[in-house]
Amino acid sequence: MILNSSLNSIAYSSTLPPDWPGGFWWHWLLFTVIIIVFALTLVMGFIWIERRGMGRMQARLGPNQAGPFGLLQPVADALKILLKEDIIPAKADRIVHWLAPVVAFAPALMIFAVVPFGDGAMLADLDIGILYVVAIASISAIGIFMAGWGSSNKYSMLGAMRGIASVVSYEIPVVLAIAGVVLVAGSMSLNQIVLAQDIPFILLQPLGFLLFFIGGCAEINRSPFDLMEADSELTAGFHTEYSGMKFAMFYLMEYAEAVAISAIIATLFLGGWRGPLLPPWLWFVLKVIFVFFIMVWTRTTLPRVRIDQLMALAWKFLFPLALINLIVTAIQILVWPDALPWILVPINLAIMALLILLWSKLFKLGWGRVEV
Amino acid sequence: MKFERYGIGIAKGLRVTIRHLFRHPVTVQYPEQRLNISRRTRGNELIWDKVKCTGCATCAKSCPQGAIQIVTSTSMEENKYEVEQIEVDTGYCISCGLCVEACPFEALYMGYAYERAKYRRGEVVQANEQLLPSPQRQRSGYMYPKIADELPRQTLLIERITEEK
Amino acid sequence: MRDTRYARIMVLKTEPFILNIGPVHPSTHGVFRMRTTLDGEVVVDVEPVFGYLHRGIEKLAEERTYTGVIPLTDRLDYVASMSNNLAYCLAVEKLAGISVPERAEYLRVILAELQRIASHLIAVGAFLNDCGAFFTPFLYMFREREKIVDLFEMVSGQRLLYNYMRIGGFNQDVPDEFLPALDKLLAQMPRFIEEYERLLKENEILLARAKGVGILPKEVAINISASGPVLRASGVKWDIRKKDPYSIYDRFDFDIPTGEVGDCYDRYRVRVEEMRQSLRIINQARRQLPAGEVKSEVPHLVRPPAGEAYAHIEAPKGELGFHLVSDNSIAPYRCHIRAPSLLNLTALRDMAIGWKVADLIIIFGSIDIVMGEIDR
């Protein structure tokens, strides 16, 4: 089935879709601009949503002075941060310290190359789109480690170590959760996955969605997994020693990654650009914002987990569930390849409930204390 | 993190936060929106009644910080002290109000105003005429219930939060 | 034959390193420094370093009049000034043999218990914030504290350093609008405490973070002479309000909440329960509040007879005591302060060793210290 669809998509891409405006280069230019504008606008929007939404949930107002409803607050922040002095610690590894924000920020933008904003409206309709996303998303971990190492600060180093540990562990359940989606859709191209979602995969793959959401949050260090920043423990974690525009890059990276993960979740599980009445790109943006709002909501509510609990959650809870989810999906596709999706929805929901109940009982944490 | 209760605790917490999203915020927009301060406010300045003051210097003695200085001379005709110089170093003042409490002639009041930061250190030391009341330097009702009754009622948070549950 | 150089490279060697947490750090609650030796994430050793906020309050008290010391006591535990005022005034009254009018006693109880709630709200909020709940519980708790602080502002004129109690009572009676506002507060408070309990009480992540973490055994807690919620969370039923009733606490009916194991979660629970008990006490005191004077006849400059006196109260943080020595002058000859935070802090090392950095922070947060009191 995968083979079939990939053959199809090879044929598809070799004939150049008719809606490509102009030639290849025009297409490339147009979408690069769109992606940069889209990502940066949405990042600013997200900063605003997070600060305002969080403010209201915390019984206060949030920023409301700059521009209407405080919409220009991110701009004001950026202006302020641009004017700040750029400090490099005396013992820092200057090159690594300088390169770290760039290495961390670039991948977050590159992810959008394969995300469809409409039917086929994307920079590159890669056949291996989702693999590309997984591969690129991990690169920013290197940037974070460079920041931790380069600033020669113990807080930064601890934060960077935690970051690497969490990214390495959570990659596995995330990839396994994606594999379930790929099995159902029969393609790795994100556009094909969206086209395959006659009903959103959140219903067909509810467990996969849950695993991907938790894993994604952990990978981009959203609370409750924001261990590598952990302001109450490590002051600011890996970017303790950063100031000025370099700090702004990390700040942007944080939100650009949030945009990226929200976009991937919206594409994989919520039907991407598909939806009635409204234009596709608007549906897409609305879904992205919806996913991000849930992240803001959990961040407002939940305390932070400890590093060993983070590892335990990945390896003892998410990993086995992801494996089972993959096997169950594979069996369903092998046994009833033509089953009506509406029959599978309740079955899958029931399986999810059962598995989660079972694993909640089985899941145990280690005793956090070490004899020294 | 044992999920023995299947994450019900987390769900309860999420419910509380989402309900706050639809509540009124409790903060106020400070420079535009001002709440009435307490009628007994101990503001960061002292207000002096030149007529009532006899120059007994009880305030200076009771000040734990030594921020009040009074220089008096005896005036033989009226058979009383004459205040030559009264000087309050509001930089040292901790607004404890003990001087106002100690004054036996009701000649010293706490200020009712806030936002009294100065640009120069020299301006922090106030003396003689600078200590007199003026429209900007209202007297507070601290230790003076009669003045307190004329001041506006203090805004209380318990009265501002009106929504139920 | 192995190359020795190669072998040396292959041996993985780790060694502990020293991390200075503080003096300027988001969760050291003031200027406190923990010189921590870490093995990776594991805490091997903690050495508390303090004294950054030392102002010499005990020495300053020796050259001020007895009344002039009251503003100084405000600056000890600056989130619970009312309790400090009360402890100091009790000590002077004991020393000079001054009695306090009935109404003043009741008002003192009401204000001290309100102050306990206000202080515990900060303690709980800051503790949950240390756990990583991004400011939400902290701001909710501050909203509740704001209501209490409003009342304190109404009676004393300031919001943090009240300087309201005097030797022999109060400097002035509470204003007329105080009691209606108090009734309104008492009606609202339980509902809000209930709501904030729902926010994180059963939260699985908080349970995992705080349950069983930083256990302070009963014997150790008694040996280091811990007091207050830290001691009670370890399962010792010790409350000065019951064991050595000062003021008029013997007239009220309330329970002493205790924990079972003495971990961070128990300390958090004990504080929340104490808030409920405080509300009970305030309700009773409000109903029995008599009319009358609020200050007994006390000379302007108190001159107690030569001698010494020790008065202690159950302050929000623990046993707060003032030991005053008088030489029959207008200023104390010696003023010693038994600060609960300082003695509770000595438990930090025992509790934190073997846990991770993240646990160290919440263990420290659960002790609930105020640096103004430790450094004095």
Side-chain angles (χ1 to χ4, degrees):
Chain A
M1 198 167 178
I2 297 175
L3 191 71
N4 270 345
S5 75
S6 59
L7 281 176
N8 280 343
S9 61
I10 286 168
Y12 183 69
S13 59
S14 62
T15 51
L16 281 188
D19 57 338
W20 278 27
F24 174 79
W25 289 108
W26 280 115
H27 173 85
W28 178 84
L29 186 68
L30 180 71
F31 274 93
T32 312
V33 172
I34 287 178
I35 283 171
I36 290 174
V37 170
F38 170 80
L40 290 184
T41 334
L42 218 55
V43 160
M44 295 216 293
F46 272 25
I47 294 174
W48 183 81
I49 290 171
E50 169 141 307
R51 295 189 60 183
R52 289 287 291 198
M54 210 171 195
R56 288 307 299 271
M57 285 187 215
Q58 293 175 344
R60 58 192 173 87
L61 272 167
N64 65 347
Q65 294 293 310
F69 309 109
L71 271 168
L72 295 179
Q73 186 64 36
V75 182
D77 284 346
L79 268 179
K80 185 202 80 173
I81 250 167
L82 271 174
L83 299 174
K84 289 236 170 180
E85 188 190 353
D86 178 28
I87 300 166
I88 299 174
K91 284 191 179 172
D93 188 335
R94 295 180 79 91
I95 299 171
V96 176
H97 189 265
W98 186 86
L99 269 179
V102 185
V103 176
F105 180 64
L109 271 188
M110 281 163 72
I111 288 175
F112 290 102
V114 294
V115 176
F117 297 89
D119 189 6
M122 56 214 283
L123 178 58
D125 190 358
L126 290 184
D127 299 338
I128 49 153
I130 197 68
L131 273 187
Y132 169 86
V133 168
V134 171
I136 292 289
S138 324
I139 292 180
S140 57
I142 297 173
I144 284 158
F145 193 73
M146 283 164 76
W149 178 260
S151 40
S152 101
N153 178 317
K154 287 166 193 166
Y155 288 122
S156 309
M157 195 62 202
L158 269 177
M161 289 288 198
R162 289 176 175 189
I164 290 289
S166 71
V167 167
V168 169
S169 317
Y170 277 85
E171 203 83 314
I172 294 157
V174 161
V175 171
L176 288 177
I178 289 175
V181 173
V182 172
L183 281 185
V184 179
S187 168
M188 282 197 184
S189 156
L190 288 176
N191 201 34
Q192 296 299 318
I193 291 177
V194 173
L195 285 173
Q197 294 185 52
D198 290 328
I199 50 170
F201 282 168
I202 186 173
L203 296 173
L204 276 177
Q205 287 278 311
L207 188 58
F209 169 74
L210 198 70
L211 297 173
F212 189 85
F213 189 81
I214 297 174
C217 280
E219 244 187 279
I220 60 166
N221 293 286
R222 296 286 306 178
S223 172
F225 309 107
D226 58 344
L227 284 126
M228 69 181 187
E229 286 175 32
D231 62 326
S232 64
E233 295 150 27
L234 304 178
T235 57
F238 63 95
H239 58 64
T240 308
E241 293 289 355
Y242 280 87
S243 64
M245 204 51 213
K246 285 189 209 158
F247 167 74
M249 290 285 269
F250 277 120
Y251 195 71
L252 274 180
M253 181 268 294
E254 205 175 295
Y255 283 93
E257 279 193 333
V259 178
I261 283 287
S262 311
I264 299 293
I265 290 177
T267 310
L268 290 184
F269 294 101
L270 300 180
W273 43 263
R274 292 178 69 157
L277 298 173
L278 298 172
W281 64 271
L282 193 57
W283 266 113
F284 180 68
V285 170
L286 285 179
K287 282 171 183 172
V288 171
I289 288 175
F290 173 72
V291 174
F292 182 71
F293 180 76
I294 294 175
M295 288 187 189
V296 172
W297 186 16
T298 50
R299 185 182 180 198
T300 319
T301 316
L302 300 179
R304 188 182 303 123
V305 298
R306 208 202 298 147
I307 181 73
D308 57 321
Q309 292 162 354
L310 182 84
M311 292 291 129
L313 186 71
W315 291 104
K316 295 188 197 166
F317 193 83
L318 300 184
F319 177 59
L321 283 185
L323 265 184
I324 294 173
N325 181 48
L326 184 64
I327 292 166
V328 169
T329 316
I331 290 172
Q332 281 176 353
I333 286 170
L334 271 180
V335 179
W336 308 290
D338 305 320
L340 284 174
W342 291 114
I343 302 169
L344 286 176
V345 170
I347 295 177
N348 279 346
L349 280 172
I351 290 174
M352 174 179 92
L354 190 75
L355 279 176
I356 285 184
L357 289 189
L358 191 68
W359 240 262
S360 302
K361 279 289 172 205
L362 290 177
F363 178 60
K364 251 187 215 146
L365 277 177
W367 172 239
R369 193 184 147 93
V370 184
E371 284 303 325
V372 290
Chain B
M1 202 171 359
K2 278 181 222 137
F3 295 111
E4 273 165 356
R5 301 196 52 223
Y6 322 115
I8 289 171
I10 291 177
K12 275 185 178 174
L14 287 171
R15 191 159 152 255
V16 173
T17 37
I18 201 73
R19 262 162 57 171
H20 272 81
L21 188 65
F22 304 107
R23 281 188 183 171
H24 286 295
V26 288
T27 47
V28 287
Q29 297 294 297
Y30 162 58
E32 296 102 43
Q33 235 177 318
R34 282 159 194 262
L35 304 180
N36 292 335
I37 51 176
S38 160
R39 288 163 159 183
R40 291 182 178 180
T41 298
R42 307 203 301 255
N44 188 19
E45 55 191 0
L46 288 177
I47 289 155
W48 177 53
D49 193 327
K50 198 176 182 179
V51 184
K52 285 183 185 165
C53 182
T54 59
C56 68
T58 314
C59 49
K61 280 176 214 154
S62 67
C63 179
Q65 292 296 100
I68 306 177
Q69 268 193 330
I70 294 190
V71 182
T72 50
S73 59
T74 39
S75 149
M76 293 316 266
E77 300 98 64
E78 293 175 44
N79 195 20
K80 68 168 200 180
Y81 287 123
E82 214 165 66
V83 181
E84 279 186 1
Q85 167 99 348
I86 175 165
E87 194 181 278
V88 179
D89 190 340
T90 48
Y92 276 112
C93 177
I94 55 173
S95 307
C96 65
L98 289 179
C99 47
V100 177
E101 228 174 294
C103 183
F105 299 101
E106 307 197 343
L108 206 56
Y109 306 84
M110 297 303 294
Y112 182 66
Y114 47 102
E115 294 179 329
R116 280 296 182 266
K118 304 284 194 298
Y119 282 100
R120 289 181 190 77
R121 278 191 205 174
E123 293 170 28
V124 161
V125 183
Q126 298 175 332
N128 299 339
E129 266 60 45
Q130 288 169 319
L131 286 168
L132 294 177
S134 71
Q136 287 85 42
R137 294 167 52 83
Q138 259 192 306
R139 297 177 300 179
S140 137
Y142 185 70
M143 297 305 287
Y144 297 101
K146 272 184 197 157
I147 301 177
D149 290 339
E150 291 160 16
L151 291 170
R153 269 180 74 91
Q154 182 191 352
T155 344
L156 296 174
L157 187 60
I158 29 172
E159 282 162 8
R160 279 201 293 128
I161 298 180
T162 46
E163 66 251 281
E164 282 306 303
K165 284 247 161 165
Chain C
M1 184 76 190
R2 277 167 66 194
D3 184 1
T4 49
R5 211 185 57 196
Y6 179 68
R8 201 163 60 239
I9 295 168
M10 286 306 288
V11 172
L12 274 174
K13 194 169 145 237
T14 61
E15 55 182 40
F17 65 98
I18 288 170
L19 183 69
N20 269 310
I21 300 180
V24 182
H25 187 275
S27 50
T28 50
H29 303 211
V31 277
F32 178 68
R33 178 173 150 209
M34 288 182 274
R35 199 170 165 279
T36 325
T37 312
L38 294 179
D39 183 8
E41 287 257 353
V42 180
V43 177
V44 180
D45 194 8
V46 191
E47 188 191 323
V49 183
F50 47 82
Y52 295 94
L53 202 64
H54 180 70
R55 293 147 298 171
I57 283 182
E58 290 181 3
K59 189 71 190 166
L60 279 173
E62 291 172 17
E63 51 188 41
R64 299 198 170 186
T65 60
Y66 279 95
T67 314
V69 175
I70 297 174
L72 279 182
T73 63
D74 283 338
R75 284 147 178 87
L76 284 172
D77 177 358
Y78 41 74
V79 296
S81 316
M82 229 28 126
S83 309
N84 303 341
N85 289 356
L86 176 60
Y88 174 75
C89 290
L90 284 175
V92 180
E93 281 153 16
K94 205 169 169 185
L95 193 60
I98 297 166
S99 66
V100 180
E102 194 82 329
R103 182 177 170 84
E105 292 275 29
Y106 276 98
L107 281 176
R108 278 182 174 186
V109 168
I110 290 175
L111 291 173
E113 293 305 319
L114 277 177
Q115 183 69 83
R116 185 186 315 280
I117 297 173
S119 172
H120 280 347
L121 281 170
I122 285 201
V124 170
F127 166 70
L128 295 175
N129 201 32
D130 285 347
C131 288
F134 194 82
F135 283 99
T136 312
F138 195 65
L139 285 162
Y140 288 176
M141 301 299 169
F142 255 79
R143 162 159 116 173
E144 294 319 293
R145 183 183 154 86
E146 180 66 27
K147 295 172 185 167
I148 297 171
V149 167
D150 268 347
L151 291 188
F152 285 156
E153 188 192 355
M154 185 195 279
V155 298
S156 74
Q158 280 199 346
R159 295 168 50 83
L160 194 67
L161 307 167
Y162 310 118
N163 183 24
Y164 183 47
M165 291 184 193
R166 290 288 178 273
I167 298 153
F170 290 95
N171 58 359
Q172 48 190 335
D173 201 350
V174 290
D176 300 334
E177 63 255 40
F178 175 74
L179 289 176
L182 180 68
D183 291 338
K184 219 173 227 175
L185 178 81
L186 289 175
Q188 276 187 14
M189 202 60 146
R191 206 182 74 215
F192 280 103
I193 291 182
E194 209 60 48
E195 179 162 33
Y196 302 148
E197 281 280 273
R198 270 208 300 283
L199 177 64
L200 282 174
K201 180 184 166 193
E202 292 164 14
N203 190 299
E204 276 81 358
I205 299 176
L206 184 81
L207 288 175
R209 282 299 302 280
K211 256 218 153 115
V213 173
I215 292 177
L216 183 65
K218 216 174 190 175
E219 297 75 36
V220 181
I222 295 171
N223 281 348
I224 61 160
S225 74
S227 54
V230 176
L231 180 69
R232 287 194 283 276
S234 297
V236 187
K237 229 176 163 65
W238 176 264
D239 190 318
I240 297 165
R241 289 175 292 176
K242 285 267 192 206
K243 301 286 172 187
D244 179 16
Y246 54 92
S247 196
I248 48 163
Y249 272 104
D250 42 1
R251 298 184 201 173
F252 303 117
D253 172 37
F254 63 99
D255 304 326
I256 310 173
T258 50
E260 282 148 25
V261 261
D263 52 11
C264 291
Y265 190 71
D266 274 350
R267 288 191 274 276
Y268 157 60
R269 297 301 314 148
V270 163
R271 291 207 171 90
V272 176
E273 284 309 316
E274 271 185 26
M275 284 194 245
R276 298 216 171 95
Q277 296 303 327
S278 292
L279 282 178
R280 255 178 86 187
I281 297 176
I282 299 171
N283 267 319
Q284 294 171 37
R286 167 72 188 91
R287 261 183 274 122
Q288 299 169 17
L289 183 69
E293 283 293 302
V294 293
K295 189 168 185 190
S296 53
E297 281 301 313
V298 177
H300 180 56
L301 294 174
V302 187
R303 215 180 266 270
E308 45 190 281
Y310 176 76
H312 55 179
I313 66 159
E314 184 69 34
K317 310 270 185 308
E319 177 187 345
L320 173 68
F322 277 82
H323 185 201
L324 292 175
V325 183
S326 159
D327 56 353
N328 197 16
S329 69
I330 56 166
Y333 176 75
R334 173 83 173 94
C335 167
H336 173 74
I337 302 155
R338 185 219 188 266
S341 295
L342 176 64
L343 290 159
N344 289 348
L345 185 64
T346 50
L348 177 66
R349 190 172 177 278
D350 293 327
M351 288 195 274
I353 284 182
W355 294 100
K356 309 248 178 333
V357 191
D359 295 322
L360 170 67
I361 299 293
I362 68 162
I363 290 168
F364 178 69
S366 73
I367 300 176
D368 178 29
I369 59 151
V370 166
M371 290 316 289
E373 201 173 44
I374 289 175
D375 294 340
R376 299 207 278 282

